[in-house]
Amino acid sequence: MAYDEELAHRIRGVLSDERGLTERVMFGGLGFMLDGHMAVAAGSRGSLMVRVDPDGAEALVDGESVDHMEMGGRSLRGWLLVESPATVDDDALAQWVGRGVAFVRALPPKE
């Protein structure tokens, strides 16, 4: 299934002022990269993948709308899957995207 184009448009709005922004279609989603690091991705049915500090990820999991990201049967450390109920509001989406931005901005740029 393809990524949610409405969500991708909303993410673009949040990231419009970020330097080093690129987009890449991967794994059926649309990844938003900052200086080569993926910060967030639009998935299908409004789901958002967010890259966060692995040491703080557990505190953000609520077991309902936010859980650890899994791919191929294994949990991806430092990635959360945020379901659409947690991003319906534009401020909430901006907060989640901001978490991804903050984490990747702390990383050295990829060459």
Side-chain angles (χ1 to χ4, degrees), residues 5 11 18 24 29 51 57-59 63 69-70 72 76 79 89:
E5 292 188 30
I11 294 168
E18 291 292 331
R24 184 175 300 162
R51 189 167 183 191
E58 191 62 40
M69 181 68 200
E70 289 189 13
L76 300 178
W79 283 95
D89 176 279

Side-chain angles (χ1 to χ4, degrees), residues 5 8 12 28 32 34-37 43 46 50 52 58 67 74 76 79 85 87 95 97 100 104:
E5 292 188 30
R12 282 185 195 103
F32 291 85
L34 298 173
D35 294 325
H37 295 285
V50 181
V52 296
E58 191 62 40
D67 210 341
R74 73 181 248 264
L76 300 178
W79 283 95
T87 61
Q95 185 176 29
V97 171
V104 301

Side-chain angles (χ1 to χ4, degrees), residues 50 52-53 56-63 65-67 80 96 99:
V50 181
V52 296
D53 181 345
E58 191 62 40
L60 299 170
V61 172
D62 68 9
S65 296
V66 182
D67 210 341
L80 297 176
W96 282 109
R99 285 182 173 112

Side-chain angles (χ1 to χ4, degrees), residues 8-24:
H9 177 74
R10 291 175 62 214
I11 294 168
R12 282 185 195 103
V14 174
L15 295 174
S16 63
D17 292 333
E18 291 292 331
R19 64 177 162 62
L21 175 65
T22 57
E23 298 178 16
R24 184 175 300 162

